[in-house]
Amino acid sequence: MARFIVVPQWQGSSSSRAMRLIDGALAIAGDLPRTATTILEVPTEAGEDLGSGVRRFSSLTRIAELVSRAVADGDGPAVVVGGDCGVALPSLAALDTSDVTVLWLDAHADLQTPATSPSGAFHGMVVRALLGDAPAGLALDPPLPASRVLLAGTREFDAEEEDFAPASGITLLGPDALADPEAVVEAVAATGASRVYIHVDLDVLDPGLISGVSHPVPFGATVEQVVGTIRAVRARLPLAGATLTEFSPTEPEVAVDDLGTILRIVGALA
């Protein structure tokens, strides 16, 4: 049975609805098997940047230690449920990533750095942090080579990201690529890795299919495409771990409207 680690982290978000990420994480937790689910107690304070260029850096690094410890302490792959997508960094930091490729399903590229980010929010920097381009404490060490990172379903790049991404060595798979799961499988397999880590940011979905995301981008994937891609990749390579993030319902009471969609994706990951 899969194990789930729920991390109601909001501190990495730039959204005015950041605190709703707590509601989103806990709503998902309510539908997960209790005996296989751990809910981490996340510090409530915003935290300080401590000169890092990352907003709320002090809280983010404290939470990162909690997440890494929880992932490392259990047996088998963990599905980490956020919260903002910054929780993927410590989840990967707890693993031996020497043979791991990361498939990052997200509407946004998340390739900012503290020097380029207009907001200073870590959720826009996470993929860059996986490459080691982040302050100590929020940078993967050792970093992943760009050749083992694939962005899929991504359709919004800031100007700095548009310059960086094509030259970085990262594989870029737009929304249309998810219509052909086998093409994604081949791209993952071509990296030469023997395991895969799958990250799902819920805004990879088309906004017409999910309301509880704070940064929707038009022309996204269908649920069937995301689920089909996850299943096809998992059929080829063992899962090293996974994250599901960025569920921020407008009110706790309306979270149920999106849970059917979200649980289909959870089921594919688990």
Side-chain angles (χ1 to χ4, degrees):
M1 177 183 290
R3 60 191 178 104
F4 300 94
I5 300 169
V6 179
V7 190
Q9 173 177 291
W10 61 274
Q11 288 92 334
S13 177
S14 63
S15 171
S16 60
R17 276 166 45 186
M19 296 292 287
R20 296 295 186 195
L21 291 164
I22 300 172
D23 301 328
L26 296 179
I28 297 171
D31 278 317
L32 299 177
R34 290 187 181 182
T35 57
T37 301
T38 301
I39 302 176
L40 298 187
E41 187 172 342
V42 170
T44 56
E45 64 268 21
E48 304 293 334
D49 69 12
L50 301 182
S52 67
V54 178
R55 289 175 64 193
R56 307 169 182 143
F57 176 81
S58 61
S59 288
L60 290 170
T61 53
R62 286 177 58 198
I63 298 166
E65 293 176 0
L66 296 174
V67 176
S68 287
R69 191 177 307 125
V71 171
D73 282 351
D75 294 326
V79 178
V80 176
V81 176
D84 69 71
C85 67
V87 301
L89 184 283
S91 178
L92 275 155
L95 307 177
D96 174 4
T97 58
S98 60
D99 65 339
V100 171
T101 278
V102 172
L103 176 62
W104 193 270
L105 297 158
D106 194 332
H108 307 90
D110 297 347
L111 288 170
Q112 294 284 0
T113 68
T116 64
S117 172
S119 67
F122 185 59
H123 74 166
M125 308 180 194
V126 186
V127 176
R128 208 52 190 268
L130 300 182
L131 305 180
D133 297 332
L138 290 179
L140 193 63
D141 183 20
L144 281 170
S147 60
R148 284 198 273 117
V149 177
L150 299 90
L151 295 183
T154 308
R155 54 198 184 275
E156 184 166 277
F157 294 79
D158 294 331
E160 298 86 358
E161 295 172 324
E162 286 182 344
D163 292 337
F164 176 81
S168 67
I170 290 173
T171 298
L172 304 174
L173 303 169
D176 292 345
L178 298 181
D180 184 3
E182 288 305 318
V184 179
V185 171
E186 292 305 320
V188 171
T191 67
S194 57
R195 295 185 297 156
V196 64
Y197 186 100
I198 301 176
H199 169 83
V200 181
D201 188 314
L202 288 167
D203 62 28
V204 73
L205 295 169
D206 189 85
L209 302 174
I210 188 165
S211 62
V213 294
S214 56
H215 296 284
V217 182
F219 309 114
T222 66
V223 183
E224 291 76 15
Q225 288 171 343
V226 171
V227 169
T229 296
I230 294 169
R231 288 179 173 163
V233 170
R234 291 200 61 194
R236 175 71 73 92
L237 290 175
L239 188 71
T243 35
L244 179 93
T245 64
E246 299 287 349
F247 182 38
S248 56
T250 53
E251 299 290 341
E253 295 78 13
V254 302
V256 67
D257 296 342
D258 289 324
L259 282 176
T261 293
I262 293 168
L263 292 174
R264 288 183 64 188
I265 298 172
V266 170
L269 292 171

